[in-house]
Structure formats: structure tokens, C-alpha cells
Amino acid sequence: MTLPDTAVDPADADRTFQVDLRGLVDLLSHHLYSSPRVYLRELMQNAVDALTARHALEPAAPGDAFGIRLYADGSVVRVEDDGVGLTEADVHTFLATIGRSSKRAERIAEQRADFIGQFGIGLLSCFLVADEIHVLSRSARTPDAPAVEWRGRGDGSYTVRTLPPSARPRPGTTVTLTPRADVGEWTRPAQVHALARHFGSLLRHPVTFDDGTGGPGASINPEPAPWSRTFPTPGARSRALAAYGEEALGFTPLDTIELDLPAVGLKGIACVLPETVPTGRRHGHRVHVKGMLLSEQAEEILPEWAFFVRCVVDAESLRPTASRESLYEDDTLAAVRDALAERLREWIARAAASDPDLLARFLRAHHLAVKSLAVHDDEILRMLLPWLPFETTDGHTTLDEFARTHRTVLVTSSVEEFRQVAAIASAAGLGVVNGGYTYDRELVHRLPEIRPEASVADLDPATLTAHLDPVDRETELAAAGYLALARDVLAVFDCDVALRTFQPASAPALLVDSREARHERTRSQLAREQEGGLWGDILGALRQEAPRAQLILNQLNPLVRTAVAIDEPELARTSAEALYGQAAMLSRRPLRPAESSLINRSFLDLLAHALRKDS
């Protein structure tokens, strides 16, 4: 059966999207490009790609036979190249169609990796600074090709006309912009020159700049990157790399690590920062793709733990994003990141093996970064754990040195616990490491992997109190009444009270209390308050015997000896509160509101007692 012919309703016919070019340019300026200055980078990038295509067309031509010339005199900005050029058909196809790239033409599509640009929208960036773009081009593919002129305007209209070859005697392309008055900061001659240097200093094609004053053109890239040059000695090369790093990054590097990954055509340097980097702060890196600056803030080129270096690299195989201001996350970038991380590990290993002074200076500044690496890297752990500094009861020292003095290494779980016990533990001859800082506790527990004779254990209150000397029986009996009153006073804080002797004698009391114990007591209190409800049942099911804090009074301290002899109940009560408050403050942990209130009350009561006594 044959279906009858049906007429097509004009309303159903396919239609073409109408693009508001001004709206698109506004979108680019606010969401794709970081600044109007990228217009010059896009023009230079297009010129470099055209030169790459020209060299593919004429492979026998010398490397410096074709170049790029920039001109800016305040009234116009012009970028001229000796590249492959455009035919009239190319102009209609590529300059007048948004989103299409001339790099896809003919067989060039098979050579995309040779080009920087990938998205064909770079020319639109010129509308960020000008209302009209003038392009004059002549193709190198046809010897007698005419010149082609294209004028594009911000309202979306354009004109094309062919001109005799004499209009542009040599193949290539010239793009001319007449800047708007409101963007003078980006189009002044000095600024154009600075931007050209900024973006194109490592380009492999010769680039010159003319400011229209009649003087000789200035070279934008007078010499290749230092890692691409030869030097008479390794020392001269090292100094040149360090000087380049200082010029590019703005600091004198502690050391310079040369980077070379032939598989992806990446070369460059990593400069070790001379000062400590705040935890969590990551520095961006200067990444060039085929010589053109892509980004100064590319964090993704290195892993997070490598925040002690900043890099300057030039790569062949990394892919830029649409804005060409960052890197596209793909398997190649992941492989590059891993390979560069391995170069940094190798540098650390070389410093540990052959340059102890450099290693010591590096660790003083960046021990946190190395600790974060050692946690996940067994090789770095074996090499550097003995060298890493830790806060201990012997001061800041290395684990290797500390383990020689203390066969059993005790480690706290928090900074506040270490501060509670440091002075007393030191006087008792205990070796305690502050495990409260990031990575420290985990690393200390791995010390036996490096020194099998060392023993590591977590410090708990029982370990500490076992090293405090008991008082004699007569002293204990004489103080029994005071201790009972003190226990009653401090019961609200779930705190027991004991009398011992320990050094230093200047310490009147020690408050032994762990974060876990405080959390358990808080949970028990909540369970009591919520008793009978669903939440109370849940907390009750989790309830354990709530561990108590312990206030240990030092019989060697004159203040304590005076306090335990007080026979006036109110004054004895106040002194017990004051001793607890002082010990709580010396522990340097956050005070609970009830503890702050107790400290204020005990101070005022002691002051009132003293005033009554004087009167």
C-alpha cells in the first residue's frame, strides 16, 4: 500500500538557530575567559597554529623561516603571521561559522595534536576589546591564490571580498583590531608588549613587537627556555634554571628540580619553596602548552601533597579546556601527575642520600608535606621518618634521636593531652611524643618498622600515674579529710582527687583527663537527662562506665601542703576549687562554662577571705 503524498507545513520545516553574537560575547567574557586580556593570547595562538600547518606543508623550511609580528600604536592592534593562510572558501566556512575550527580542514584534522587550539571560538574573544575584526589572508596551498578580506562586526554581520595577490604579497594572515575606548588598559602598546611576553615567551616560532615609534622591533622570545639550552657545566645549568624559576615565580628557590617526561613531551622545573606553606594551601603552577602560556594557577598538574613546590612546565600532549586557561582532566594528565610525583620522590631520596644539609633545610620548612607523603609511601617513610622532627618531652627532636634515649616511646592522642602531662612525664623520665598534630601519631606508631628495637605505645592516665610516687601513710591519713572534701566539691566534674609526690615541685596539681573520657561522661550525662525517651534509650544502650578525671595534688608543692592543712571548711572548699581551676587552665584544653565559673568564684572567694583576714 502506498501512502498518499503529504504537503509539508511551512511551520514544520527545519529552521536555523539565530545566535545573538553580543550575548555570546558577553557570555564568554563572564563565564569562559578570566579577563579581556586573553584576546591577544587567542590571536597569537591562532597564528602559532597557522605556522604549524605551514611547516607541515613545507617541512624543508628552516624553523625560523616563518614568524609572528605584533603591532600596537594605541589606535590599532595587529597580529600578522606567515602561516598557512585561508582561501575564500575557508573564510566562509571557518570565520563565519561559530564553533567550527579551521584546524579540522582537509588532512589537518589528523594532526590535531600539533595544534594548541581545539575549539574554534578563539576569534570571538577579540570582540571583548573591539567592535570590528578585520582579517586579511592569503593561502599558501595555492601559489597564485588571491588575498581574501573578511570584516566581522559585533552585531553578527560580516563581509567577504577577494583582492589581488598584491594586497598581501606573501601567504599568511593579518588580523587588525580597532580597540574600543573603554578597553584602553588592554590595548596600549606597553600593555600589548607585556601581554605578548607573558603569554608567548616560550613559543618556538620567532615573535616580534613593534610599537609604531619607528624603532627596531623587540623580540618577545629572544631565547628558548633554559631547559632546552646547553650549558658548559652542570653548575651553570643549575644556576640558570634557578634564575629562571626566580624570575618566573617571584621567589628564590631552596632547590630546583628539573622535570623531563619524553613520553608526553613535557619539560620544565619544580622550584622548592624556601618557607613553610600553610596547611591546605595549594599553589598554582605555570603550565605552557607547546610554548603558549595556558595557566599560572594550574593546581591539577601535581598531587595535593606536593604543596612545597611550584612548577613551570611546557608540554606537548596535555589538553586545554575550552577556555584554554586550565587543563582537561583525562588519563594523560593523571599519568603526568603520577610521573611528576615520582620525580619529587626521587629528589627527596637523593637529598637524603647525598646532601644532609639540603635535606635538613628542606625538612625545617616542609616537614608537614613530607609527613603526609610518608603516611602513604613506604619508601619515603623508611628514608625520612628518622629525620622528621616531632614535639616531645625532650623538646623538638627527630624520632631517631628520641628513640636512642627512650626505649619505650609513648604517644598522646591530642595536643592538649601532651600539654597536660609533658612537664611531669619529663621529670619522671618518660619519653612522650605529641601525637596530636596531623599525621604524627600514625607515623610514631610506625617507628618499629624502621627501628625494630623501639617500642611504641599510646599514653594513658594509668601509665602516667604509675610513675608518680605515693606519699607516706601518715601524710595520707593527715590529708584524708581535705581529700574527701575536695572529692565532694569536684564530684560535679566527675573528678577524683589523689595526693602524690612528683617533679617539678613547682607544679601544684596535675589534671589527668582524656578527650575520650570527657566525651563518655558527656554522653552519660545526656543519657541521664533524656532518661525514659527514645534518645535516652539509645544513649543508655551505648552507656559505659564513665571514666573519671583525676586531680593529682603534689605533696612537694608548698601551696598544696598549706591547703591540705586547712581546717576551715569553706576555705578548704575554695582552695580545692582553685587548685582544680589552675590545673584545668594549665592543661590548655577548652574550659567548660562550669569550669570558667568555678575559677572566677574561687578567685573572688579567696580574695574576700584575704580581705576579711586583713581587717
Side-chain angles (χ1 to χ4, degrees):
M1 183 175 63
T2 304
L3 294 175
D5 293 336
T6 56
V8 177
D9 188 332
D12 296 331
D14 289 342
R15 299 178 184 273
T16 302
F17 282 107
Q18 299 299 309
V19 176
D20 179 357
L21 188 57
R22 292 189 184 276
L24 182 58
V25 171
D26 182 69
L27 181 68
L28 294 179
S29 65
H30 287 94
H31 298 284
L32 185 65
Y33 296 125
S34 61
S35 163
R37 68 177 185 167
V38 299
Y39 81 92
L40 189 66
R41 185 197 65 195
E42 295 292 339
L43 289 178
M44 294 175 66
Q45 199 157 269
N46 287 343
V48 170
D49 286 341
L51 291 175
T52 302
R54 180 76 181 272
H55 277 288
L57 189 67
E58 303 176 35
D64 59 354
F66 310 126
I68 302 171
R69 293 166 294 283
L70 309 179
Y71 177 90
D73 62 2
S75 59
V76 298
V77 175
R78 187 163 61 240
V79 178
E80 181 178 2
D81 66 68
D82 300 317
V84 71
L86 299 170
T87 64
E88 182 180 3
D90 291 337
V91 167
H92 283 289
T93 301
F94 302 120
L95 296 189
T97 305
I98 294 172
R100 185 174 294 177
S101 171
S102 63
K103 272 81 74 175
R104 296 185 178 91
E106 300 180 7
R107 290 167 298 182
I108 298 178
E110 302 172 4
Q111 306 165 353
R112 285 183 64 135
D114 294 334
F115 298 93
I116 303 171
Q118 299 284 323
F119 298 90
I121 59 175
L123 195 64
L124 289 182
S125 66
C126 295
F127 286 119
L128 299 177
V129 297
D131 289 326
E132 182 175 286
I133 305 171
H134 176 255
V135 178
L136 182 63
S137 186
R138 181 180 171 191
S139 176
R141 299 181 185 282
T142 306
D144 297 326
V148 183
E149 179 189 65
W150 179 88
R151 290 183 183 271
R153 288 170 286 276
D155 60 5
S157 63
Y158 72 93
T159 58
V160 178
R161 61 173 181 156
T162 57
L163 302 173
S166 59
R168 200 184 196 288
R170 296 190 302 173
T173 301
T174 302
V175 181
T176 304
L177 309 178
T178 302
R180 297 194 306 270
D182 61 330
V183 293
E185 61 178 309
W186 303 114
T187 57
R188 289 192 298 269
Q191 181 68 290
V192 172
H193 180 252
L195 290 176
R197 285 279 300 165
H198 179 72
F199 289 121
S201 61
L202 297 186
L203 288 175
R204 292 82 184 267
H205 305 284
V207 184
T208 58
F209 173 77
D210 182 359
D211 62 3
T213 60
S219 177
I220 296 300
N221 51 347
E223 57 185 7
W227 50 79
S228 300
R229 306 201 304 265
T230 57
F231 296 89
T233 64
R237 182 178 185 85
S238 179
R239 288 189 294 273
L241 293 174
Y244 179 81
E246 182 173 2
E247 178 184 1
L249 301 175
F251 64 88
T252 303
L254 182 67
D255 197 19
T256 305
I257 308 164
E258 189 162 1
L259 307 173
D260 188 4
L261 304 178
V264 292
L266 183 146
K267 291 188 176 184
I269 54 174
C271 295
V272 182
L273 291 157
E275 297 177 348
T276 302
V277 181
T279 304
R281 177 184 296 178
R282 296 185 66 190
H283 285 287
H285 308 284
R286 288 177 63 95
V287 176
H288 299 251
V289 175
K290 301 177 180 68
M292 182 69 73
L293 179 64
L294 181 78
S295 173
E296 295 177 277
Q297 299 297 324
E299 296 182 354
E300 60 273 20
I301 196 75
L302 286 180
E304 290 186 8
W305 57 259
F307 53 78
F308 56 88
V309 298
R310 288 191 66 191
C311 295
V312 183
V313 299
D314 186 17
E316 294 287 335
S317 301
L318 296 179
R319 293 174 57 196
T321 59
S323 67
R324 293 193 278 274
E325 295 184 337
S326 59
L327 294 171
Y328 184 81
E329 189 70 44
D330 58 10
D331 291 342
T332 300
L333 179 58
V336 166
R337 186 163 47 236
D338 291 343
L340 293 181
E342 184 59 31
R343 297 297 183 273
L344 298 185
R345 291 188 185 94
E346 292 171 357
W347 175 83
I348 293 173
R350 286 197 303 272
S354 60
D355 197 338
D357 179 63
L358 173 61
L359 180 67
R361 287 186 286 127
F362 169 65
L363 290 179
R364 277 198 298 271
H366 301 297
H367 58 272
L368 183 60
V370 177
K371 286 179 179 180
S372 69
L373 176 58
V375 166
H376 304 102
D377 192 309
D378 291 344
E379 183 179 353
I380 295 296
L381 178 78
R382 288 190 296 272
M383 285 190 301
L384 295 184
L385 183 58
W387 296 83
L388 291 171
F390 290 82
E391 185 179 7
T392 74
T393 46
D394 291 352
H396 281 83
T397 185
T398 64
L399 277 187
D400 192 58
E401 183 177 347
F402 192 69
R404 290 195 188 101
T405 308
H406 304 280
R407 192 171 186 84
T408 298
V409 177
L410 301 172
V411 58
T412 65
S413 60
S414 68
V415 174
E416 64 188 46
E417 288 173 10
F418 177 80
R419 290 170 176 169
Q420 287 178 38
V421 305
I424 290 86
S426 178
L430 296 176
V432 182
V433 178
N434 186 350
Y437 296 117
T438 306
Y439 312 117
D440 282 15
R441 184 167 175 267
E442 183 176 355
L443 288 172
V444 173
H445 273 285
R446 298 188 67 179
L447 178 62
E449 298 177 27
I450 312 301
R451 295 180 65 91
E453 69 278 11
S455 174
V456 177
D458 287 324
L459 177 68
D460 58 48
T463 303
L464 181 63
T465 53
H467 285 77
L468 305 182
D469 296 327
V471 297
D472 60 70
R473 186 170 180 77
E474 290 184 4
T475 303
E476 182 86 31
L477 289 173
Y482 181 85
L483 295 177
L485 182 146
R487 292 186 186 105
D488 181 64
V489 169
L490 301 179
V492 66
F493 299 116
D494 288 318
C495 182
D496 196 6
V497 183
L499 186 65
R500 297 286 188 273
T501 63
F502 55 85
Q503 295 293 336
S506 59
L510 170 66
L511 182 60
V512 180
D513 193 15
S514 67
R515 181 183 302 174
E516 290 77 10
R518 292 197 301 276
H519 287 175
E520 181 59 37
R521 291 198 301 274
T522 300
R523 187 169 63 183
S524 298
Q525 177 64 29
L526 284 173
R528 289 193 294 271
E529 293 173 357
Q530 300 287 336
E531 192 168 355
L534 175 62
W535 183 242
D537 292 340
I538 293 172
L539 291 174
L542 297 173
R543 186 182 305 167
Q544 302 173 4
E545 183 64 28
R548 306 192 75 191
Q550 195 170 32
L551 179 67
I552 302 175
L553 304 179
N554 187 4
Q555 176 64 19
L556 299 180
N557 183 269
L559 178 61
V560 172
R561 289 200 299 271
T562 301
V564 298
I566 296 174
D567 55 8
E568 184 180 338
E570 284 304 314
L571 181 58
R573 181 184 186 90
T574 300
S575 68
E577 292 176 338
L579 287 169
Y580 177 87
Q582 183 187 33
M585 288 191 296
L586 289 175
S587 72
R588 301 185 187 180
R589 64 168 172 78
L591 296 176
R592 290 173 286 179
E595 291 171 330
S596 298
S597 177
L598 175 141
I599 292 170
N600 293 333
R601 185 176 65 250
S602 63
F603 174 79
L604 293 174
D605 288 349
L606 287 173
L607 182 61
H609 177 81
L611 292 175
R612 286 197 304 271
K613 184 177 180 180
D614 290 342
S615 61

